[in-house]
Amino acid sequence: MVSPSSSQKVALVTGSSSGIGFETCLTLARNGFLTYATMRNLNNSEKIKSVATKEGLPIRVVQLDVTEDRSINDAVHSIASDVGKIDVLVNNAGYGLNGAFEDLAMEEIKTQFETNLFGVIRVTQAVLPIMRKQKSGIIINISSAAGRFGYPGESAYVSTKFAIEGLSESIVYELEPFGIRVVLVEPGPIRTNFADGMVATKKSQNPNSPYLEIMKKLNAVLASIRENASSPDLVAKVVLKAVTSENPSLRYLAGKDMETWMEAKRSMSDEDFRKTIKQNFMK
Ligand SMILES: NC(=O)c1ccc[n+]([C@@H]2O[C@H](COP(=O)([O-])OP(=O)(O)OC[C@H]3O[C@@H](n4cnc5c(N)ncnc54)[C@H](OP(=O)(O)O)[C@@H]3O)[C@@H](O)[C@H]2O)c1
């Protein structure tokens, strides 16, 4: 076992090959965390390795696909045998599924849940015995504005993020007695590979889809919303704030306009909020 210096905290981040996960690894490592940058495809590790080498950062790359039990167990066991602890888990890996609800195939919905929700569940369940034994730890679940309110065209994605919110709100009570904290980080639109990696449901490509025109317009709006996105570095800083806080909150917003949206959601009736969503998304 190669112990980190006794006070050095150990972090595991999923989906570290790009975007929020990538920036979170760099931010944690720059702030002294021994950071395990996990990713499903190690061919995508060159960029993070080169920054780590250039800056002399404590980053180790490990293969982890959140949809595969074996990959998760191998990764967690190798970290445990390497350093004997995991202080921070950042459940970040995820992607979006785009398409009108009726056009979503059940397989596409299941695949979306496999990564975005069951992935979080699998990795968290693998890490918890370690955190419970050490009687400390913090789990950061990267949710989304899509975990706080629904909008058209991405209902399966929204459902996974609502589920992460419910999961986190529930397990917080069970884990607190073991010194383990659970935090939701809720980004608004962030400039990453997310839009490019978005999976379009097959039926939505069909020229006979009754939702074709609606989705065309909607996707143009979603693209323009994403043009005004915040930097992933901003989310990484929020994660750092949460993990270094003495008493972290359950929720942290991250990104432009998130406060405004949340204030609207808090202060408006469901009916008025629905009108606001329609005005903003279905122009
Ligand atoms: N960007 C936004 O506007 C936004 C807003 C709110 C919330 N979020 C959330 O932020 C998180 C990160 O997304 P991002 O914006 O940084 O997008 P991104 O740049 O596309 O990064 C997504 C990461 O997840 C990884 N991933 C996907 N499936 C995986 C799997 N089965 N196992 C392990 N890793 C997997 C990807 O790996 P590969 O490189 O191998 O594909 C990639 O590293 C997601 O949970 C997303 O829902 C994003």
Side-chain angles (χ1 to χ4, degrees):
M1 188 186 294
V2 189
S3 293
S5 58
S6 58
S7 58
Q8 188 175 30
K9 300 270 188 193
V10 175
L12 186 171
V13 180
T14 67
S16 305
S17 61
S18 68
I20 294 170
F22 179 88
E23 288 298 333
T24 298
C25 287
L26 294 182
T27 298
L28 291 175
R30 284 174 184 140
N31 285 276
F33 289 79
L34 171 56
T35 303
Y36 284 84
T38 74
M39 58 191 73
R40 60 178 163 176
N41 184 354
L42 293 180
N43 291 333
N44 295 331
S45 63
E46 287 315 312
K47 197 166 146 210
I48 203 160
K49 278 184 185 159
S50 101
V51 182
T53 307
K54 198 165 148 205
E55 295 186 29
L57 298 175
I59 289 183
R60 297 174 188 175
V61 175
V62 171
Q63 197 277 339
L64 192 162
D65 185 328
V66 302
T67 64
E68 287 179 10
D69 287 321
R70 185 157 174 199
S71 156
I72 295 166
N73 290 333
D74 286 354
V76 171
H77 286 143
S78 92
I79 296 168
S81 63
D82 219 11
V83 289
K85 64 174 186 168
I86 298 175
D87 300 293
V88 178
L89 166 63
V90 182
N91 283 312
N92 163 75
Y95 72 94
L97 176 62
N98 179 276
F101 173 69
E102 199 183 339
D103 279 346
L104 299 177
M106 191 48 90
E107 269 320 304
E108 291 168 328
I109 299 173
K110 283 183 180 171
T111 306
Q112 171 80 119
F113 272 78
E114 276 300 336
T115 299
N116 289 19
L117 177 65
F118 303 144
V120 171
I121 291 174
R122 283 191 198 92
V123 179
T124 304
Q125 286 191 335
V127 168
L128 273 180
I130 296 170
M131 289 186 169
R132 201 168 28 74
K133 216 157 139 196
Q134 71 204 18
K135 295 191 170 60
S136 67
I138 181 163
I139 298 163
I140 308 285
N141 289 332
I142 305 295
S143 174
S144 173
R148 299 296 294 279
F149 58 83
Y151 57 91
E154 292 176 0
S155 58
Y157 176 70
V158 168
S159 303
T160 63
K161 294 298 185 183
F162 265 66
I164 287 173
E165 297 269 336
L167 175 80
S168 306
E169 274 196 22
S170 306
I171 63 175
V172 76
Y173 299 102
E174 298 172 18
L175 300 182
E176 201 176 43
F178 297 100
I180 302 166
R181 310 299 296 251
V182 181
V183 167
L184 284 155
V185 169
E186 300 166 332
I190 306 295
R191 218 175 310 111
T192 65
N193 292 344
F194 187 79
D196 291 341
M198 178 84 69
V199 174
T201 187
K202 281 207 186 81
K203 276 195 196 163
S204 68
Q205 320 292 318
N206 182 339
N208 297 324
S209 165
Y211 300 94
L212 200 66
E213 285 311 312
I214 295 174
M215 285 306 299
K216 250 191 215 160
K217 276 194 202 154
L218 185 58
N219 282 333
V221 173
L222 288 171
S224 77
I225 290 174
R226 286 180 177 129
E227 258 166 38
N228 187 32
S230 307
S231 153
D233 176 53
L234 188 145
V235 184
K237 287 196 177 108
V238 172
V239 172
L240 179 69
K241 184 177 170 192
V243 302
T244 53
S245 166
E246 281 289 316
N247 194 15
S249 308
L250 175 62
R251 285 193 170 83
Y252 290 82
L253 304 178
K256 282 180 218 160
D257 301 334
M258 275 301 282
E259 291 285 354
T260 313
W261 274 106
M262 285 308 113
E263 182 49 35
K265 175 82 177 160
R266 261 192 300 271
S267 61
M268 286 180 181
S269 65
D270 282 350
E271 193 52 30
D272 284 345
F273 190 73
R274 198 166 65 83
K275 280 184 196 149
T276 306
I277 291 284
K278 269 176 85 171
Q279 279 158 8
N280 280 273
F281 286 76
M282 304 193 83
K283 290 174 185 170

